[in-house]
């Protein structure tokens, strides 16, 4: 996946990070149960946030247990698991499968093709049990791929298609929260898509890969434009988020949404500014 929706660890209390890490480890275990070690390597911070948001919304009973694993062989750590953990694990695989497919088409890296084939084989249950969701997301991503091949530079349209994918993933069930979850997921997805394009713009131009920001990259105001666009996406996302009746772990969720999501952005921007300064010396 992408890994842009993360926590700002220095701003968290120790107990809050333990809770977050518990959901992370629980999702990791479910990925291993359903998909083996190949499932584990797909684990995404983005999907941990989805898991915690849906868990807080639906107030499901969460099982807590102390476990050891390969990553933490010497000391037991807490794992948190509920019914939504299984759902998010399947959605994590779905997105990773399509990400590998897209990466193979862009870079022709053999490891991406191999992982794509493995995940497709292992996702048989998910593709059948969540057939409607798989089909919807498949249709959207195929359309997105077609538009990328056409070099579509309509930023709103292109990011909006991935926004629809995340909106579909946020819809755990059809209920009274459907509209707000749709809005929340839609703008979260747009942010992820554009943040990925922002981070990759230089490599994409160098390798002649598609990037929706190509036409504005050379503009002097590029950095300010991107910051404004990303800020607008998160403002709309946060607007829907604050209308959801979330209570459990709300401080952790707000840490991610108002602070953590900007971590990679700041890293990329600072790196580019430093490189520009060095070139001008």
């Amino acid at each position: 996946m992408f890994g842009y929706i993360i926590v700002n660890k220095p701003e968290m209390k120790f107990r809050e990070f333990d809770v977050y890490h518990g959901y992370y480890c629980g999702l990791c275990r479910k990925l291993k149960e359903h998909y083996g070690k190949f499932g584990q390597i797909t684990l995404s911070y983005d999907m941990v946030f989805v898991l915690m948001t849906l868990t807080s919304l639906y107030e499901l009973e969460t099982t807590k247990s102390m476990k050891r694993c390969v990553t933490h062989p010497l000391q037991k750590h807490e794992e948190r698991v509920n019914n939504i953990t299984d759902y998010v694990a399947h959605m994590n695989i779905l997105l990773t499968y399509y990400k590998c497919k897209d990466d193979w088409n862009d870079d022709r890296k053999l490891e991406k093709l191999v992982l794509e084939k493995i995940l497709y084989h292992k996702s048989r249950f998910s593709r059948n049990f969540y057939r409607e969701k798989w089909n919807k997301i498949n249709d959207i991503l195929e359309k997105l791929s077609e538009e990328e091949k056409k070099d579509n530079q309509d930023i709103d349209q292109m990011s909006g298609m991935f926004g629809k994918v995340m909106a579909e993933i946020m819809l755990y069930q059809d209920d009274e929260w459907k509209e707000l979850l749709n809005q929340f997921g839609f703008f979260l997805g747009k942010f992820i898509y554009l943040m990925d394009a922002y981070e990759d713009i230089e490599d994409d131009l160098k390798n002649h890969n598609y990037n929706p920001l190509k036409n504005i990259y050379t503009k002097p105001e590029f950095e300010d434009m991107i910051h404004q666009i990303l800020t607008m996406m998160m403002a709309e996302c946060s607007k829907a988020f604050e209308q959801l009746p979330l209570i459990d772990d709300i401080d952790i969720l707000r840490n991610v949404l108002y602070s953590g999501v900007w971590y990679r952005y700041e890293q990329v921007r600072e790196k580019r500014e430093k490189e520009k300064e060095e070139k001008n010396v």
Side-chain angles (χ1 to χ4, degrees):
M1 273 288 290
F2 301 93
Y4 296 115
I5 314 303
I6 59 178
V7 295
N8 182 351
K9 189 176 178 181
E11 296 298 321
M12 299 181 75
K13 298 175 182 177
F14 287 114
R15 180 54 188 158
E16 289 175 342
F17 184 76
D18 288 341
V19 171
Y20 177 83
H21 194 259
Y23 282 107
Y24 178 91
C25 292
L27 182 55
C28 182
R29 177 159 68 88
K30 284 297 180 179
L31 283 166
K32 183 178 182 181
E33 286 181 9
H34 293 300
Y35 301 99
K37 292 182 179 179
F38 288 103
Q40 284 181 293
I41 65 174
T42 72
L43 180 57
S44 161
Y45 288 111
D46 303 338
M47 298 307 285
V48 177
F49 178 70
V50 171
L51 167 60
M52 293 190 67
T53 301
L54 292 176
T55 296
S56 182
L57 176 61
Y58 291 110
E59 300 179 296
L60 293 187
E61 182 177 348
T62 298
T63 301
K64 306 171 189 176
S65 58
M66 301 301 291
K67 303 280 185 177
R68 286 191 179 92
C69 65
V70 175
T71 309
H72 308 91
L74 301 178
Q75 185 175 1
K76 288 185 177 181
H77 57 280
E78 185 178 76
E79 290 183 357
R80 295 178 173 234
V81 173
N82 55 50
N83 290 340
I84 292 177
T85 314
D86 291 284
Y87 167 76
V88 172
H90 294 310
M91 294 300 104
N92 190 100
I93 292 296
L94 187 161
L95 283 179
T96 306
Y97 163 72
Y98 283 110
K99 184 69 167 63
C100 289
K101 194 174 182 179
D102 185 57
D103 287 346
W104 163 249
N105 291 332
D106 283 347
D107 304 324
R108 314 308 284 183
K109 291 182 179 179
L110 185 59
E111 63 267 25
K112 297 295 183 180
L113 178 63
V114 172
L115 184 56
E116 173 200 332
K117 300 301 182 185
I118 292 173
L119 293 181
Y120 186 81
H121 173 72
K122 290 181 174 292
S123 65
R124 187 177 293 109
F125 166 81
S126 176
R127 284 184 283 115
N128 288 326
F129 193 80
Y130 296 105
R131 184 183 302 274
E132 183 178 356
K133 207 168 278 286
W134 267 82
N135 289 340
K136 282 184 179 180
I137 291 174
N138 177 69
D139 290 344
I140 295 169
L141 290 176
E142 282 192 353
K143 177 62 177 177
L144 179 60
S145 179
E146 289 174 6
E147 293 301 317
E148 288 181 348
K149 290 176 182 176
K150 296 176 184 177
D151 197 29
N152 189 331
Q153 291 294 303
D154 187 326
I155 296 173
D156 188 57
Q157 180 187 1
M158 299 302 286
S159 63
M161 281 189 272
F162 191 76
K164 290 178 182 179
V165 170
M166 287 304 298
E168 187 63 36
I169 287 173
M170 289 303 305
L171 297 180
Y172 175 64
Q173 59 189 37
D174 191 350
D175 56 23
E176 61 187 307
W177 308 117
K178 181 177 180 178
E179 184 176 341
L180 283 173
L181 285 174
N182 183 75
Q183 181 183 347
F184 175 65
F186 179 72
F187 287 104
L188 185 68
K190 292 188 76 171
F191 178 90
I192 292 172
Y193 185 82
L194 292 174
M195 186 60 224
D196 185 57
Y198 172 68
E199 182 170 17
D200 293 345
I201 181 64
E202 292 170 333
D203 288 339
D204 285 340
L205 291 177
K206 179 181 178 180
N207 298 319
H208 305 288
N209 293 332
Y210 171 79
N211 193 296
L213 307 179
K214 180 178 69 175
N215 287 352
I216 66 171
Y217 177 64
T218 55
K219 294 184 177 181
E221 64 272 24
F222 171 73
E223 291 292 346
D224 291 337
M225 291 174 66
I226 292 301
H227 185 266
Q228 183 178 9
I229 292 170
L230 292 175
T231 300
M232 289 171 59
M233 296 304 99
M234 290 314 302
E236 292 298 325
C237 181
S238 301
K239 181 179 178 182
F241 171 85
E242 292 297 347
Q243 294 180 69
L244 293 167
L246 306 175
I247 298 176
D248 294 340
D249 305 318
I250 187 64
D251 289 336
I252 300 175
L253 296 173
R254 284 177 174 149
N255 172 286
V256 174
L257 206 56
Y258 299 129
S259 180
V261 296
W262 295 105
Y263 180 75
R264 285 269 288 277
Y265 168 79
E266 295 294 347
Q267 277 190 319
V268 175
R269 183 162 184 167
E270 288 176 7
K271 180 183 177 182
R272 287 204 179 119
E273 289 178 349
K274 183 177 181 180
E275 289 175 348
K276 287 180 181 178
E277 290 176 358
E278 290 175 350
K279 286 179 180 180
N280 293 330
V281 172

